[in-house]
Amino acid sequence: MLISAALEHAGVLLTDKSLLGDTMEEGALIPVLPEYQSIGNLPIYIVYPRRELLPAKTKALVDFLLKEMPNLLRGE
């Protein structure tokens, strides 16, 4: 989903290059911070437009992530 969003010009993506397939060779995605090194155990943020009328599948995913990875999601 994140790769698709990046391909639709929705933002910047931080992921392992092996997951990108041919998108970089084809020029569909380009590196913007090639020297950046990710620091392990950083918090994960869930970003969605608003809480009212949240789709059930989005709420289910948020609830699942909060249960399974509470320390990462809350930055503890």
Side-chain angles (χ1 to χ4, degrees):
M1 181 188 288
L2 293 175
I3 295 170
S4 295
L7 288 167
E8 294 294 322
H9 308 282
V12 177
L13 171 67
L14 175 62
T15 190
D16 189 290
K17 287 182 184 178
S18 67
L19 299 175
L20 298 175
D22 296 330
T23 58
M24 291 183 67
E25 289 84 19
E26 296 169 353
L29 294 176
I30 58 168
V32 293
L33 297 171
E35 302 300 319
Y36 178 79
Q37 293 293 317
S38 177
I39 300 171
N41 211 16
L42 287 176
I44 297 171
Y45 298 92
I46 303 169
V47 181
Y48 46 91
R50 54 189 158 157
R51 287 183 176 235
E52 59 272 354
L53 303 176
L54 191 64
K57 61 185 176 183
T58 304
K59 182 173 178 0
L61 175 62
V62 171
D63 291 344
F64 170 79
L65 292 172
L66 286 171
K67 178 182 175 195
E68 296 298 319
M69 300 187 295
N71 293 338
L72 287 177
L73 290 168
R74 294 191 178 126
E76 297 172 1

